[in-house]
Amino acid sequence: MIEMQDVWKTYPNGTHALQGVSVKIDRNEFVYVVGPSGAGKSTFMKLIYREEVPTKGQISVNGFNIGKLKQRKIPYVRRNIGVIFQDFRLLPKLTAYENVAFAMEVIEAPKRQMKKRVMEVLDLVGLKAKANRQPAQLSGGEQQRIAIARAIVNNPSVIIADEPTGNLDPETSWGIMQLLDEINFRGTTIVMATHNKDIVNTMRKRVIAIEHGNIVRDQLRGEYGYDF
Amino acid sequence: MTFNTFLRHLREGAKNIFRNGWMSVASVVSIIVSLFILGVFILLVLNVNAIADKADKQVQIRAYLNLNVDQKLRETVQKEIAAMPEVSKIDFISKEQGLEDFRKSMGDEGKELLEGFNKDNNPLPDAFKIEVYEPTTVPFVSKKIEALNTSHAEEQPIMKVKYGKGTIETLFKVTRMVRNIGFIFVAGLGVMSMFLISNTIRVTILARRREIGIMKLVGATNTFIRWPFFVEGTLIGLIGSIITVAILFTGYDRLAASIGSDFSLQMSLLPVSELWQWGGLLIVLGVLIGMWGTTLSIRKFLKV
């Protein structure tokens, strides 16, 4: 599903964000990526959805060689990857419904199918009743749910979540985690970078720890393992 | 692209104009300002050209014949002049006709002055009135006519060739200069307005970098992202240029009417009815500027 072989990433300013990372993530796994700030977690995530290209080494996602992908093929690979961020990244002038439908318009899904599917995922994230609200009229947790709905609406095989609970209070965070767990249960691979110790230690999943651009720990049903 | 997607692009493009509120207004205004200045210059150049053309057409050569020239020689000379490739028209003006014309041009004052002259003591020579295709060839043609005295060395038929030397040459210089400066100005303003507009649109796009980023993230192709912006730019260009043409032509029409009714000025502006194609051109230009501006500004945001 996702495979990295000796991946290096050096930024133009000389920072070695990743230094020879090799890892394999299988279909339907739920993986936490943990580690101190600046350890390379974000770079690790960005490489998967081709926001960045590796300086050296190979990455394959769903069978595509991400590093060597032609510019015009990138959109088609991204359609199979849902991405969720700490800051939600919703379009402020669109309603919740429109924000989710947007991801389907982009892949030119038929209109009738679109309406049905958008309502379906809004229902799944529990916001069917607030479909016509704009992001500003929703709470942080609700906005993140809309972002999740947008990420899953096209049935991607993998979801990349970069600190999805970073801006949310503990209670709301738990709601989001239950939702992601549910999505994972339905068959979607989830790779989630997080600083949330409680969540990692409670929901025992595979944990990959990155420090100084290297994977220092990779445990099934692991622990957070840091004090921050 | 499916038809539904195409409709979506049109809808989104139109909606974006409203969503962007003041930025759209700014773009439209910048198009209006540039196109308006451009339009004023175009109208100015057109009118100067029209006046210059009119003046050009009035440029004639008069060749006066010596008194000894008989009808046969006169006809030979007329044929020779008519045969010159630059000459468009040649009319013979007899001394009687010349006197008549002179009287007419002098009006009431001339009546007294020319009273004593009649058929028998007419002091004027016979003459040819010659028109040429290209006014700039006037001095050259005049020389050629004078040169007829060389080919008819014995008779020396030509007394004098006149064409208002100094005035005409100055007129040519002035009209040429006005045209050239006008066109340079118009071209320069055209380029300037394009940059102005592409910058305004760039600012709009800058404000929407986030939106473009999200579109890319959910897997939108570059074409898909570009289309609504393209529609938006085109519409902004269209709206701006239609407003410009409306303002410009209404104002021009008023001006033309007020000048036309003022008899002390011996000139009139070209009527609006003859200028519609230029209005059309401005609209096409506005649309192109809008399209070009967006295409140019969005390119660099699509590289991620």
Side-chain angles (χ1 to χ4, degrees):
Chain A
M1 163 111 262
I2 298 171
E3 195 169 355
M4 294 195 186
Q5 279 172 0
D6 191 29
V7 168
W8 291 69
K9 177 68 192 180
T10 308
Y11 286 106
N13 66 8
T15 316
H16 297 291
L18 291 183
Q19 309 185 47
V21 167
S22 296
V23 74
K24 200 174 166 199
I25 297 169
D26 286 323
R27 186 172 293 278
N28 212 8
E29 272 197 275
F30 195 129
V31 182
Y32 290 119
V33 180
V34 301
S37 295
K41 296 194 300 293
S42 275
T43 303
F44 180 85
M45 312 291 271
K46 281 179 182 168
L47 285 167
I48 298 173
Y49 61 89
R50 181 46 178 81
E51 174 98 12
E52 296 290 350
V53 232
T55 315
K56 209 180 111 188
Q58 274 205 352
I59 305 171
S60 89
V61 178
N62 295 323
F64 288 99
N65 186 343
I66 291 282
K68 295 217 168 79
L69 208 57
K70 280 198 182 119
Q71 195 76 25
R72 64 187 164 77
K73 289 217 168 137
I74 298 170
Y76 301 97
V77 171
R78 288 214 180 125
R79 290 173 189 188
N80 221 348
I81 304 170
V83 191
I84 304 164
F85 298 95
Q86 186 173 359
D87 58 359
F88 324 134
R89 299 204 190 170
L90 298 173
L91 293 171
K93 287 173 186 165
L94 302 185
T95 64
Y97 177 91
E98 287 166 339
N99 263 291
V100 178
F102 187 65
M104 287 189 86
E105 277 174 9
V106 155
I107 64 162
E108 302 188 32
K111 206 137 204 177
R112 199 167 298 167
Q113 191 187 322
M114 200 187 298
K115 190 160 190 186
K116 186 167 166 269
R117 175 67 184 154
V118 173
M119 289 320 281
E120 204 174 283
V121 290
L122 282 176
D123 195 24
L124 178 69
V125 301
L127 285 173
K128 203 174 171 180
K130 297 184 175 175
N132 290 322
R133 303 236 187 136
Q134 289 190 333
Q137 299 169 301
L138 297 170
S139 71
E142 287 170 333
Q143 289 187 48
Q144 191 60 294
R145 283 168 185 272
I146 297 297
I148 292 172
R150 180 180 67 192
I152 61 172
V153 73
N154 290 328
N155 282 315
S157 56
V158 53
I159 284 189
I160 306 298
D162 198 352
E163 302 205 31
T165 61
N167 276 351
L168 304 174
D169 60 60
E171 202 178 323
T172 316
S173 297
W174 276 111
I176 295 294
M177 289 319 296
Q178 275 164 9
L179 183 56
L180 289 176
D181 203 28
E182 165 80 19
I183 291 163
N184 176 240
F185 179 75
R186 293 180 179 214
T188 308
T189 310
I190 292 180
V191 181
M192 170 175 155
T194 187
H195 276 132
N196 195 317
K197 189 177 180 177
D198 288 343
I199 285 173
V200 178
N201 287 343
T202 311
M203 296 172 70
R204 288 295 177 100
K205 309 280 188 188
R206 180 175 169 187
V207 174
I208 293 175
I210 298 180
E211 284 176 35
H212 306 297
N214 285 301
I215 294 183
V216 292
R217 176 159 57 96
D218 186 350
Q219 304 168 288
L220 282 172
R221 310 184 72 71
E223 286 183 7
Y224 185 68
Y226 297 101
D227 286 329
F228 44 78
Chain B
M1 186 174 16
T2 65
F3 182 64
N4 264 334
T5 307
F6 181 68
L7 285 183
R8 179 223 174 247
H9 291 323
L10 289 186
R11 208 173 45 235
E12 284 300 306
K15 260 198 221 162
N16 280 341
I17 292 179
F18 293 101
R19 281 195 194 128
N20 292 321
W22 287 107
M23 277 322 289
S24 304
V25 174
S27 305
V28 169
V29 167
S30 86
I31 289 200
I32 291 177
V33 170
S34 337
L35 283 185
F36 185 79
I37 298 171
L38 192 68
V40 167
F41 263 92
I42 288 176
L43 291 178
L44 194 70
V45 167
L46 284 175
N47 275 292
V48 167
N49 269 352
I51 291 167
D53 275 348
K54 224 171 170 184
D56 279 354
K57 284 212 184 86
Q58 286 162 359
V59 175
Q60 294 169 347
I61 302 169
R62 272 184 194 252
Y64 297 98
L65 298 176
N66 274 320
L67 298 172
N68 61 343
V69 175
D70 59 8
Q71 190 176 346
K72 198 177 153 224
L73 180 59
R74 196 189 80 209
E75 280 167 3
T76 317
V77 170
Q78 182 165 2
K79 265 183 209 144
E80 282 173 2
I81 296 174
M84 293 174 184
E86 298 87 356
V87 172
S88 63
K89 198 176 161 201
I90 176 164
D91 285 320
F92 173 64
I93 296 170
S94 65
K95 53 171 80 175
E96 293 79 18
Q97 178 72 43
L99 186 61
E100 189 61 28
D101 288 352
F102 196 28
R103 268 211 180 95
K104 261 187 208 157
S105 72
M106 294 296 282
D108 286 340
E109 276 176 66
K111 232 175 216 169
E112 262 174 61
L113 211 69
L114 297 170
E115 212 168 359
F117 295 108
N118 56 40
K119 218 161 76 183
D120 303 318
N121 61 357
N122 186 348
L124 296 175
D126 284 335
F128 290 122
K129 190 171 83 184
I130 298 141
E131 286 175 18
V132 294
Y133 291 109
E134 181 50 54
T136 47
T137 61
V138 163
F140 174 63
V141 172
S142 303
K143 287 229 171 66
K144 267 167 89 173
I145 295 170
E146 277 168 3
L148 288 176
N149 277 344
T150 326
S151 53
H152 301 276
E154 258 171 55
E155 299 94 335
Q156 294 287 314
I158 310 291
M159 182 170 78
K160 201 173 184 186
V161 180
K162 276 178 79 175
Y163 63 87
K165 245 174 208 154
T167 2
I168 292 208
E169 271 149 17
T170 325
L171 184 70
F172 287 152
K173 258 185 218 152
V174 170
T175 54
R176 203 179 304 137
M177 206 166 72
V178 169
R179 274 179 221 189
N180 291 347
I181 291 177
F183 281 123
I184 290 169
F185 248 102
V186 165
L189 277 169
V191 172
M192 216 176 70
S193 58
M194 279 200 181
F195 277 106
L196 199 67
I197 287 147
S198 100
N199 262 334
T200 317
I201 293 172
R202 187 170 300 166
V203 174
T204 348
I205 290 177
L206 210 67
R208 278 148 73 189
R209 216 167 15 179
R210 206 180 150 81
E211 188 177 333
I212 295 174
I214 292 169
M215 289 174 97
K216 302 211 68 134
L217 211 60
V218 293
T221 59
N222 284 352
T223 323
F224 187 92
I225 296 172
R226 207 178 275 129
W227 260 99
F229 284 103
F230 191 68
V231 170
E232 187 182 346
T234 309
L235 282 177
I236 284 178
L238 190 68
I239 295 168
S241 54
I242 287 177
I243 295 176
T244 310
V245 169
I247 297 174
L248 197 64
F249 277 31
T250 314
Y252 180 82
D253 197 38
R254 292 262 169 89
L255 189 70
S258 73
I259 286 181
S261 60
D262 188 347
F263 288 111
S264 62
L265 287 164
Q266 283 286 309
M267 55 175 276
S268 60
L269 294 178
L270 293 168
V272 170
S273 56
E274 277 179 33
L275 299 170
W276 279 117
Q277 67 269 37
W278 291 96
L281 184 82
L282 279 180
I283 291 176
V284 169
L285 202 65
V287 169
L288 286 179
I289 287 171
M291 286 179 177
W292 184 81
T294 23
T295 315
L296 202 77
S297 348
I298 199 170
R299 192 174 297 157
K300 67 181 240 197
F301 293 105
L302 292 178
K303 295 234 168 88
V304 179

